[in-house]
Amino acid sequence: MTLPKLRFKEFNGDWEANTIQHFLDKKFILDQMDGNHGELYPKSEEFSSCGIPYVSATDFSSGTLDFSKCKRLPLERAKLFKKGIAKNGDVLFAHNATVGPVAILKTELDFVVLSTTATYYRCNGSFLNNYYLKNYFESDFFVQQYFGIMSQSTRNQVPITTQRKLSISIPIVKEQIKIASFLSAMDEKISQLTQKHELLSQYKQGMMQKLFSQQIRFKSDDGREFGEWEDKPLSELSEKAMYGMNASATEYDGLNKYLRITDICEISHKLKRDNLTSPNAELGEKYKLGYGDLLFARTGASVGKSYLYSVDDGLAYFAGFLIKFSLKLDLVNPYFIFAQTLTSEFDKWVVTNSMRSGQPGINAEEYSGYIFKVPCLEEQAKIANFLSAIDQKIEVVAQQIEQAKQWKKGLLQQMFV
């Protein structure tokens, strides 16, 4: 059979390749099951704030099970379940709606309950290592198999009966453990970087709260205290608001970028560089973005999402579901204003003002009335520079996370067959 390109030198035996059903029959996999269907399926009113976690695919979409997001069932209700009873060490695979994420269940509880969107695999450690199986499920060899199946279906799912037809390849358990230990060290590195990213992001949020509430104040270069801040509506700090162009997206021409709501990253609020497109229309100068342009999403689930144009984004034109405010550079530092749109105070304002009978929305006139806290330009610049320096650190860590993930992905391609 085909052997992996990259292998630890102390191993040279063949790998066994067969279907998951085959390894279930051989008891390498002791059990595989998803959640309960039918009458045992819990109703929304049965969930509580404490109890046994009821785990859905979205609860481990990041690759780690986040119990804080899980719904919970009272213990006596959870004991009624006959299927989908996952235990510590089980490999979880998201198979419905959200397909692909994998995680190892780590819990001190006797069990958790799975919804119908997740499958657990219970490995016989004498023959199959759970961390090895988890990493195999993340390899391109496995992903390509179930993607091929999903492409033939109208629904985004890989039912457990279909999963059993998929193939996996395994070496002897000692080699599995060696591979799993090596890749687990990579996962730990990624986890540490992710935690560092989260801590930096939390630190930035905390500092913004203190800076914009004026708990912390900067002083001028000569040691003088700055004056009082003023409350100013956005309409006084920018040119008249403008809606974007009504055009469809077409293949990226390599120069002219089309910026839509979905092209703004939910986390960084920067332009996403993957899947760039160009506007399929005449490129009007009024729709071209420039320094100091601040955009807001005006409708839908992303209402309130903001984006500040960066010269690094090159030629860019904005779409119709976005509203542009060209900030007056003699009055405000663009980043200082943009940073206030990333605060919890702004989020609360968006929730309150976007309520509609249909889709949530905020129009140009409403955004124009939002009140910003504005000190002198010199203090604005100091705050903007301070927060931008944190952004740079966050960006460096984000790049390190992506590099580590890509390195691991490359290893998976070479270490598995």
Side-chain angles (χ1 to χ4, degrees):
M1 64 163 291
T2 303
L3 292 173
K5 295 179 181 178
L6 186 62
R7 199 173 187 190
F8 293 102
K9 61 182 180 181
E10 63 266 38
F11 301 103
N12 55 23
D14 287 342
W15 289 31
E16 184 175 1
N18 218 310
T19 63
I20 287 173
Q21 182 64 62
H22 170 81
F23 291 110
L24 275 164
D25 295 339
K26 287 187 69 172
K27 300 300 181 183
F28 282 30
I29 300 171
L30 296 173
D31 196 13
Q32 177 228 23
M33 193 62 65
D34 68 348
N36 288 261
H37 301 258
E39 63 184 33
L40 269 179
Y41 194 85
K43 299 178 177 64
S44 58
E45 59 267 22
E46 295 183 88
F47 293 111
S48 62
S49 58
C50 58
I52 302 299
Y54 183 75
V55 179
S56 297
T58 52
D59 296 327
F60 57 95
S61 57
S62 64
T64 303
L65 179 54
D66 186 350
F67 283 109
S68 68
K69 296 180 180 179
C70 291
K71 296 178 180 178
R72 292 180 180 261
L73 289 165
L75 177 59
E76 293 307 312
R77 175 65 174 89
K79 285 181 177 179
L80 297 177
F81 286 88
K82 308 299 181 186
K83 295 170 55 182
I85 306 301
K87 298 181 179 181
N88 184 54
D90 286 350
V91 180
L92 306 182
F93 175 72
H95 74 259
N96 195 334
T98 298
V99 176
V102 188
I104 299 286
L105 175 57
K106 298 179 182 179
T107 180
E108 295 180 357
L109 298 170
D110 291 336
F111 69 97
V112 303
V113 179
L114 296 190
S115 79
T116 56
T117 63
T119 307
Y120 75 78
Y121 286 80
R122 190 163 300 146
C123 298
N124 182 340
S126 299
F127 302 100
L128 182 58
N129 179 271
N130 58 348
Y131 280 89
Y132 173 87
L133 186 64
K134 180 255 186 189
N135 281 291
Y136 196 94
F137 282 170
E138 293 175 330
S139 71
D140 278 352
F141 300 99
F142 193 76
V143 172
Q144 288 170 8
Q145 288 184 73
Y146 67 71
F147 259 95
I149 292 167
M150 286 195 302
S151 67
Q152 301 169 26
S153 172
T154 56
R155 297 186 64 186
N156 204 27
Q157 63 174 342
V158 187
I160 58 171
T161 52
T162 304
Q163 291 174 45
R164 291 171 185 165
K165 299 174 185 178
L166 302 176
S167 296
I168 59 174
S169 299
I170 62 172
I172 61 172
V173 73
K174 285 185 178 180
E175 187 171 1
Q176 292 177 44
I177 293 171
K178 185 87 173 184
I179 293 168
S181 297
F182 178 77
L183 293 174
S184 292
M186 284 291 304
D187 285 339
E188 180 61 26
K189 177 66 174 177
I190 293 170
S191 177
Q192 290 172 356
L193 287 169
T194 301
Q195 186 177 25
K196 184 177 180 181
H197 187 273
E198 291 173 353
L199 289 172
L200 280 169
S201 299
Q202 291 169 11
Y203 172 68
K204 180 187 173 185
Q205 282 295 322
M207 291 307 300
M208 285 197 301
Q209 174 65 31
K210 292 178 179 179
L211 287 165
F212 293 128
S213 66
Q214 300 173 60
Q215 289 177 254
I216 296 177
R217 293 289 301 270
F218 286 98
K219 292 184 178 180
S220 65
D221 292 341
D222 60 9
R224 289 183 297 105
E225 292 187 353
F226 291 115
E228 295 297 315
W229 292 29
E230 296 182 86
D231 290 340
K232 297 278 189 181
L234 182 54
S235 59
E236 291 185 19
L237 305 175
S238 71
E239 304 298 336
K240 187 177 179 180
M242 179 181 171
Y243 291 92
M245 63 194 303
N246 184 21
S248 60
T250 189
E251 185 178 352
Y252 180 49
D253 63 12
L255 180 63
N256 300 291
K257 302 176 185 69
Y258 196 31
L259 202 150
R260 302 156 297 171
I261 293 175
T262 53
D263 297 311
I264 302 170
C265 177
E266 295 283 349
I267 299 172
S268 69
H269 287 241
K270 294 182 178 180
L271 173 65
K272 293 193 286 189
R273 300 288 177 165
D274 55 335
N275 299 318
L276 291 172
T277 61
S278 294
N280 188 20
E282 185 178 346
L283 302 179
E285 190 72 17
K286 64 180 180 179
Y287 298 117
K288 185 168 73 173
L289 296 173
Y291 180 73
D293 284 345
L294 179 64
L295 303 183
F296 293 99
R298 64 181 177 90
T299 190
S302 296
V303 64
K305 185 195 287 188
S306 59
Y307 159 84
L308 181 67
Y309 174 75
S310 169
V311 292
D312 293 335
D313 291 339
L315 277 174
Y317 300 81
F318 69 108
F321 286 107
L322 293 165
I323 304 172
K324 181 184 76 170
F325 290 86
S326 296
L327 299 173
K328 296 178 179 178
L329 303 181
D330 59 331
L331 297 179
V332 292
N333 178 294
Y335 186 89
F336 175 83
I337 295 298
F338 168 65
Q340 288 190 53
T341 70
L342 307 179
T343 62
S344 57
E345 183 179 348
F346 181 77
D347 289 340
K348 291 173 185 175
W349 179 87
V350 168
V351 170
T352 301
N353 287 271
S354 64
M355 292 180 182
R356 300 285 192 272
S357 58
Q359 271 201 334
I362 299 178
N363 61 34
E365 184 178 356
E366 290 166 318
Y367 275 123
S368 296
Y370 182 76
I371 303 298
F372 286 88
K373 298 177 175 66
V374 185
C376 69
L377 270 172
E378 187 180 353
E379 189 172 4
Q380 289 182 48
K382 285 185 176 291
I383 292 172
N385 291 339
F386 176 79
L387 294 175
S388 294
I390 301 175
D391 279 344
Q392 290 173 7
K393 292 179 181 178
I394 292 173
E395 180 62 25
V396 167
V397 176
Q399 290 174 1
Q400 290 173 340
I401 293 171
E402 185 58 30
Q403 288 168 0
K405 287 181 176 179
Q406 290 302 317
W407 187 33
K408 183 188 174 184
K409 184 178 180 180
L411 289 172
L412 289 174
Q413 290 177 324
Q414 297 183 72
M415 297 181 78
F416 292 108
V417 290

